[in-house]
Amino acid sequence: MYRSLFKNLITEELGKMGLGRNVWCLMLVVGLLVTCTRGEDPYRFYTWNVTYGDIYPLGVKQTGILINGQFPGPQIESVTNDNLIINVFNSLDEPFLLSWNGVQQRRNSWQDGVYGTNCPIPLGQNFTYVLQVKDQIGSYFYFPSLGMHKAAGGFGGFKIASRSVIPVPFAPPAGEFTILAGDWFTKNHTDLKAILDSGTDLPFPDGLLINGRGSNGYTFTVDQGKTYRFRISNVGLTTSINFRIQGHKLVLVEVEGIHTLQNSYDSLDLHLGQSLSVLVTADQPPQNYYIVVSTRFTSQVLNATSFFRYSNSAGTVSGPPPVGLTTQIDLSLEQARSLRRNLTASGPRPNPQGSYHYGMINTTRTIRLQNSAPVINGKQRYAVNSVSFIPADTPLKLADYFKISGVFNPNSIPYSPTGAGAYLQTSVMAADFRGYVEIVFENYEDTVESWHIDGHNLFVVGMDGGQWSPASRLSYNLRDTISRCTVQVQ
């Protein structure tokens, strides 16, 4: 009634102005268009069924974890601020969880897919992840986080593209490729778990994979003279890798959502859980070239190759695959320090990333975390500040939300190494709301360790050998370091 009265009054007034109903219709359409533009950010819906299936990544039949029948799983294609609705059905015979490596969790940590904050999906049941890639860009991947499932597959690429209105600090590439590389074991994940339970460390990997295949199992076809973007992730279980393309330079442009200075490299190290993007220009004579990944810091060097093929290729690949770095720790550290933030580039928003002066913010607490690999009660365990985590009967997030006492103690892990013997505990560290924390990772083991801050990023301000002390702060990079979710400690 009121709408009709309002319409009649407007039409009468427009008639007095000599405009009439045609203008009213035009105004109505314009009003509807304005209303429609105020909707939510786009939604993308996925339905995944997680099953076991036969796979042959190294030519040996294994039981793998498939998503919708695929190994690796389907790639997630998204754009900044997209809402992702991912409905996961667990058709395995054991609980299952997926973690979104590098996707920031803002006020929704119960979606991050890590035990303690996310309840496992029971067998025969489903869970719907609701994620928004808010103010984020970059190259990432997802993987299963329980029961050594990652050793059976279940991982896939995760791309967050920039919005079309936000400038990117390089010309649009002619195409993009995702490379999921890492070590692989021919033993099933249940056998690997049994090895750890027997008090023995994992064996040396049996090989390396590129996108789920062994050597020469994959070809990337390019056009001569054009530039391509490669989004590369180390999805392995135990080993750092080195990536290179025969006869071609790698121009680094992004590390886990941060635009970098566009330095050129012959090869790049990727440690466990890390992702980055490079631009590669097909500027060589038309033929096939090797793409190579190899293990780093191992006495036995494993390699896997794929082909970088020119579409107008007149010949096959020639010569041996290019040799990469192996045990040179100093060169790896030098390369890590050369990764710098592009302060003049926009990130997911149209403002310079350098406007966030992390070096001018006072820290509220210093935390030192030291890893170790003890055997406790006959099982191979891993510990932080002498504490090896064991799950509680009640999920920690629920215990926290409903204030259930006796499930965990927020001070059950010390803030610095104590030198005490390792023990089991449901370790939870207290933090201050809006605190700004300095974290020092210390590794005295004989392997490279990767530390992942799930759902968050950290500024990598320093990296060196020897014992850390407060004087080490004098060498911090407080101007243009990258921030990332996973950092290696040599």
Side-chain angles (χ1 to χ4, degrees), residues 10-159:
I10 292 292
T11 304
E12 181 178 344
E13 291 301 315
L14 290 173
K16 293 177 182 178
M17 299 168 59
L19 299 177
R21 292 182 178 273
N22 289 337
V23 176
W24 163 255
C25 293
L26 177 62
M27 291 179 64
L28 179 61
V29 171
V30 171
L32 287 174
L33 289 175
V34 171
T35 302
C36 291
T37 59
R38 295 177 180 173
E40 292 183 86
D41 291 305
Y43 278 77
R44 296 175 188 260
F45 296 88
Y46 299 85
T47 300
W48 288 354
N49 185 27
V50 181
T51 62
Y52 291 123
D54 293 338
I55 58 175
Y56 302 81
L58 291 177
V60 178
K61 181 180 178 180
Q62 295 178 251
T63 299
I65 293 179
L66 313 179
I67 298 179
N68 291 353
Q70 300 178 41
F71 168 73
Q75 172 150 309
I76 293 178
E77 300 275 352
S78 62
V79 179
T80 301
N81 296 343
D82 279 356
N83 295 284
L84 307 179
I85 312 298
I86 308 169
N87 193 7
V88 179
F89 288 83
N90 177 17
S91 298
L92 306 182
D93 58 2
E94 54 186 328
F96 182 80
L97 264 183
L98 282 173
S99 184
W100 317 98
N101 198 71
V103 177
Q104 296 181 29
Q105 306 290 336
R106 295 180 171 92
R107 299 185 180 181
N108 62 332
S109 63
W110 57 90
Q111 303 279 320
D112 63 4
V114 174
Y115 191 92
T117 55
N118 208 165
C119 296
I121 307 172
L123 50 154
Q125 302 295 317
N126 71 300
F127 179 81
T128 301
Y129 293 91
V130 181
L131 308 171
Q132 185 181 25
V133 287
K134 180 70 174 174
D135 292 335
Q136 198 171 1
I137 59 172
S139 309
Y140 309 97
F141 66 96
Y142 60 86
F143 69 95
S145 60
L146 295 180
M148 299 292 290
H149 287 160
K150 188 181 180 185
F155 51 77
F158 196 133
K159 166 188 168 183

Side-chain angles (χ1 to χ4, degrees), residues 377-388:
N377 298 331
K379 292 186 178 184
Q380 176 64 63
R381 304 283 304 190
Y382 298 90
V384 178
N385 290 354
S386 301
V387 182
S388 185

Side-chain angles (χ1 to χ4, degrees), residues 217-455:
Y218 216 91
T219 299
F220 300 87
T221 302
V222 299
D223 294 333
Q224 190 171 30
K226 295 183 178 179
T227 299
Y228 296 82
R229 180 174 184 170
F230 282 78
R231 298 175 182 265
I232 314 161
S233 297
N234 183 345
V235 297
L237 210 63
T238 64
T239 315
S240 301
I241 60 174
N242 181 263
F243 175 88
R244 53 202 180 274
I245 299 179
Q246 182 183 24
H248 293 75
K249 293 292 186 179
L250 311 175
V251 179
L252 185 69
V253 293
E254 176 248 336
V255 171
E256 294 168 14
I258 299 299
H259 290 308
T260 64
L261 294 182
Q262 295 177 17
N263 296 327
S264 180
Y265 300 87
D266 292 321
S267 68
L268 281 165
D269 286 345
L270 286 96
H271 305 276
L272 291 172
Q274 293 185 343
S275 301
L276 53 79
S277 288
V278 296
L279 296 180
V280 182
T281 300
D283 54 4
Q284 299 300 307
Q287 64 179 52
N288 289 359
Y289 296 87
Y290 282 113
I291 296 176
V292 187
V293 293
S294 56
T295 55
R296 287 285 268 129
F297 318 116
T298 57
S299 56
Q300 176 188 350
V301 179
L302 298 176
N303 295 280
T305 57
S306 289
F307 295 121
F308 186 78
R309 176 185 175 274
Y310 283 57
S311 59
N312 60 337
S313 174
T316 61
V317 66
S318 63
V323 176
L325 302 176
T326 53
T327 60
Q328 303 91 333
I329 294 177
D330 289 344
L331 292 178
S332 184
L333 280 171
E334 181 182 339
Q335 185 180 97
R337 296 190 190 103
S338 73
L339 308 184
R340 298 297 181 94
R341 178 183 297 255
N342 186 341
L343 295 179
T344 63
S346 293
R349 291 184 177 184
N351 62 300
Q353 296 174 350
S355 63
Y356 184 60
H357 299 294
Y358 63 94
M360 300 176 65
I361 301 175
N362 294 326
T363 57
T364 57
R365 175 177 292 170
T366 296
I367 299 172
R368 292 170 52 211
L369 301 178
Q370 186 180 112
N371 57 275
S372 58
V375 174
I376 303 177
N377 298 331
K379 292 186 178 184
Q380 176 64 63
R381 304 283 304 190
Y382 298 90
V384 178
N385 290 354
S386 301
V387 182
S388 185
F389 179 84
I390 54 173
D393 294 333
T394 303
L396 303 185
K397 198 71 180 179
L398 293 179
D400 180 51
Y401 185 81
F402 291 106
K403 296 180 171 52
I404 303 173
S405 61
V407 177
F408 67 87
N409 178 357
N411 296 305
S412 52
I413 179 172
Y415 291 99
S416 58
T418 63
Y423 58 95
L424 302 176
Q425 181 69 265
T426 303
S427 49
V428 176
M429 183 175 289
D432 300 319
F433 181 59
R434 292 183 176 174
Y436 200 70
V437 182
E438 175 188 46
I439 303 177
V440 181
F441 300 109
E442 301 178 358
N443 177 23
Y444 290 93
E445 299 294 312
D446 58 0
T447 58
V448 178
E449 299 297 327
S450 282
W451 290 85
H452 175 65
I453 307 298
D454 201 75

